[in-house]
Amino acid sequence: MIVVILVTFFIANLSKNSKKEKYIDLTLIVLLLIFFRLFFRCDLISIYTSYAVDVLVILNWIFITRSNKRLFTINDGIAKWLRFSIAIPIIVLNQFLIQGCFPDKTVVFDFVSPLKNGKYYVLQGGTPPLMNRAHYRNNKQDRYSLDIVRLNKKGLSKKKLFPKTVNDYNIYADSVFSPCNGKVVEVIQETECNYNLTKTKFYYDNKHLTNNIVIISTEDAKLILAHLKKGSIIVEKGQLIKQSDFIGLVSNAGAVEPHLHMQLIKDGLAEPFLINGKYLHNNSILRN
């Protein structure tokens, strides 16, 4: 975030000899803000802080262009070269990020939200690779998976700046409900949650096989809900389940940060899906 702010302030301070240059610089600043919003985890600094960054950066550009007061001036030739050097990578990266906000195949599955207690945030999701970096490692079955956390009134996913236990995360022990009608085909709940985070080594979901999961068969596909709390899962293998039936509680079993993992597989391949009629991606907000 700090780097993005500094770069946008730098762009705003480039010498301006024409309206064309001013609006080229404004376009670059907006592209940088889009990159920041789609790529970085805003829930760690508050999603509201990210809005404040947008306002601060745009106001800075307006002040500098209208008052003609700058912290420094740069030769016109160097300024043009810098604009070009910044514009190319940002345009390319934004193209991949914006593309990742949309499914790359037809979506036929639309689920209701499995979480119903407030405002939630997608920390990993969308179409790979930039939008869904961790799940891209297992592209065949994990391609469109979502990792979801809960936001508090301050727009943060955790209660403390440096969480030490799972209780420091808002989503821990949050209730999980079935997103669809179907049949429970697998239940695993043998893994204890990693309660004390200071003693836990970091690992990716796809590299760590122990987990607590419920798999629901629905419309010839299998929906996986993972990182559930041991002992909280009340459904059983073979049970018919209805949409919004209670399943269990969120934990960090098989992970470090507590979150709900959602994954859909059909014919052995990952399948995109909607939640409440929307295709969710990195930094999406889910309100219930």
Side-chain angles (χ1 to χ4, degrees), residues 25-36:
D25 291 343
L26 178 61
T27 301
L28 285 178
I29 289 171
V30 171
L31 288 174
L32 275 166
L33 292 175
I34 292 173
F35 172 73
F36 167 69

Side-chain angles (χ1 to χ4, degrees), residues 54 98 103 113 124 132 134 175 181 200 220 267:
D54 294 347
I98 293 172
S113 174
Q124 285 284 337
N132 211 342
S175 297
N181 298 326
T200 303
D220 298 323
D267 299 326

Side-chain angles (χ1 to χ4, degrees), residues 114-117 120 148 150 166-167 170-178 187-189 191-193 211-214 225-235 245-254 258-261:
L115 301 161
K116 303 182 182 299
N117 294 320
Y120 296 88
I148 307 173
R150 183 180 176 182
V166 289
N167 286 320
N170 299 311
I171 199 168
Y172 178 68
D174 209 355
S175 297
V176 179
F177 303 89
S178 177
V187 175
I188 300 174
Q189 56 172 335
T191 305
E192 297 286 353
C193 72
N211 204 333
N212 295 332
I213 64 174
V214 169
L225 301 171
H227 307 307
L228 302 176
K229 188 176 181 180
K230 180 180 179 180
S232 73
I233 301 173
I234 67 167
V235 296
D245 282 353
F246 178 77
I247 289 178
L249 304 177
V250 178
S251 80
N252 67 339
H259 66 276
L260 178 66
H261 174 94

Side-chain angles (χ1 to χ4, degrees), residues 21 36-37 39 48 63 81 85 104 120 151 178 228 230 238 262 286-287:
E21 285 181 318
F36 167 69
R37 181 60 59 80
F39 190 75
Y48 304 119
F63 172 77
W81 180 83
S85 300
D104 53 7
Y120 296 88
L151 299 174
S178 177
L228 302 176
K230 180 180 179 180
M262 288 187 68
L286 178 62
R287 294 178 174 85

